[in-house]
Amino acid sequence: MEKKEQLYEGKAKKVYATEDPELVIVSYKDDATAFDGTKKGTIRGKGAVNNRMSNFLMGKLAEAGIPTHVVKELNDRETVVKKVRIVPLEVIIRNVSAGSFAKRYGVEEGIPFDEPTFEFSYKNDDLHDPLLNTSHALALKLATREEIDTIRGMALKVNEVLKEFFAGCGVRLIDFKLEFGRLSDGTIVLADEISPDTCRFWDAKTGEKLDKDRFRRDLGSVEEAYQEMMRRVFGGQA
Ligand code: ADP
Ligand code: UDP
């Protein structure tokens, strides 16, 4: 499968057309941004880590019955995926308080929840991705009620599968962001990526952060944390 014209360049990935109108190729970059794109940098090797890890995790999710956009990994950085119309909602699941949750509600980070939380924000850079609820999403016609119900069910299932998988790697899955898309027939599938850019991972024993917070918060050893997550996920297979 060959790359044709570039359709889009985002902050972390490029998207290319292919000869098949139903398929696109995503190409993962080493570029990193945070705080609404105001902090910019490079994390060497990140593109390959995120590509390979995201494909591996989506493979596990597919085995668990969750439909995903992944079709075929082409090389370290590039993957053929089903072309979707992205539902403009950033879906966030949390198991433990951290990040914007801790800040917004004035609690410390690291408080485990009895049940995971589900929230979404409006995926709109100009508006800085504002938080919204289901009635807002319906009013704005971002998705139908049925789609939101499907997305919520799938996101909670993703959490169950990934929480258990990462526990086996000695990693606590603190929170993560998912994006969903519509295939040409309207079917909802899991799209975008699942990686240290989009999840918070804390070492189960030491609590060490093994994700993009090392970049956001200038904690150092950013590349090493991404490589450590590769080793945890792939074990002997990396
Ligand atoms: P951003 O747009 O936030 O800067 P990226 O750099 O990750 O993010 O760019 C990738 C873009 O491709 C995102 O807008 C994402 O929603 C979109 N995308 C992800 N998966 C698919 C897919 N299967 N089909 C079409 N677009 C996708
Ligand atoms: N997240 C993301 N993209 C975003 C916003 C959040 O991938 O645009 C992820 C983030 O990495 C974390 C989770 O979603 O794993 C929850 O993020 P939070 O709302 O705490 O926001 P942040 O602290 O990143 O501002």
Side-chain angles (χ1 to χ4, degrees):
M1 175 120 332
E2 299 267 308
K3 282 190 298 213
K4 299 185 84 174
E5 78 274 15
Q6 183 178 305
L7 299 175
Y8 179 79
E9 176 162 7
K11 297 183 285 290
K13 300 190 283 301
K14 295 179 184 179
V15 181
Y16 295 91
T18 68
E19 61 266 30
D20 184 335
E22 306 265 350
L23 299 176
V24 292
I25 293 174
V26 290
S27 178
Y28 286 72
K29 306 191 287 185
D30 285 353
D31 298 353
T33 63
F35 310 123
D36 228 0
T38 54
K39 182 180 171 86
K40 292 192 175 65
T42 302
I43 302 175
R44 236 175 327 107
K46 171 171 88 77
V49 168
N50 288 7
N51 181 46
R52 295 188 55 206
M53 193 183 298
S54 189
N55 292 340
F56 179 84
L57 295 173
M58 288 205 193
K60 293 258 169 235
L61 294 168
E63 282 170 21
I66 295 157
T68 86
H69 70 159
V70 176
V71 175
K72 189 176 190 298
E73 188 170 290
L74 290 178
N75 55 50
D76 261 11
R77 282 175 191 273
E78 295 176 332
T79 296
V80 181
V81 300
K82 292 177 186 165
K83 184 175 188 173
V84 300
R85 284 168 295 131
I86 291 283
V87 177
L89 295 172
E90 298 211 336
V91 176
I92 293 173
I93 299 282
R94 302 175 192 271
N95 295 306
V96 177
S97 67
S100 70
F101 181 96
K103 194 165 177 211
R104 178 176 311 115
Y105 301 118
V107 296
E108 59 191 67
E109 296 197 305
I111 303 167
F113 302 145
D114 293 340
E115 284 182 30
T117 66
F118 171 89
E119 76 202 40
F120 38 63
S121 43
Y122 182 13
K123 186 173 157 61
N124 184 318
D125 282 341
D126 293 340
L127 299 175
H128 314 291
D129 298 343
L131 194 65
L132 41 65
N133 66 25
T134 299
S135 62
H136 297 151
L138 292 173
L140 293 166
K141 299 200 180 342
L142 304 181
T144 66
R145 192 178 290 283
E146 292 68 35
E147 286 175 331
I148 292 173
D149 288 346
T150 301
I151 286 171
R152 182 186 284 104
M154 283 170 59
L156 290 168
K157 180 82 191 284
V158 167
N159 186 44
E160 290 311 310
V161 175
L162 293 188
K163 230 176 20 180
E164 192 185 330
F165 171 75
F166 282 112
C169 307
V171 169
R172 284 174 83 195
L173 178 61
I174 304 301
D175 58 30
F176 56 93
K177 182 267 299 178
L178 300 175
E179 292 182 26
F180 293 86
R182 305 178 182 98
L183 299 178
S184 54
D185 69 357
T187 310
I188 297 282
V189 301
L190 180 61
D192 204 51
E193 66 177 280
I194 305 178
S195 72
D197 273 16
T198 65
C199 303
R200 284 196 169 92
F201 298 127
W202 294 1
D203 180 86
K205 285 212 186 78
T206 65
E208 187 188 1
K209 295 184 192 342
L210 297 171
D211 57 60
K212 194 172 150 187
D213 271 347
R214 299 206 74 86
F215 169 78
R216 292 191 190 97
R217 303 179 185 191
D218 296 321
L219 298 176
S221 304
V222 184
E223 278 92 1
E224 289 80 357
Y226 278 69
Q227 295 301 332
E228 176 60 21
M229 279 308 301
M230 273 309 266
R231 283 192 287 277
R232 299 283 181 105
V233 165
F234 286 92
Q237 303 168 53

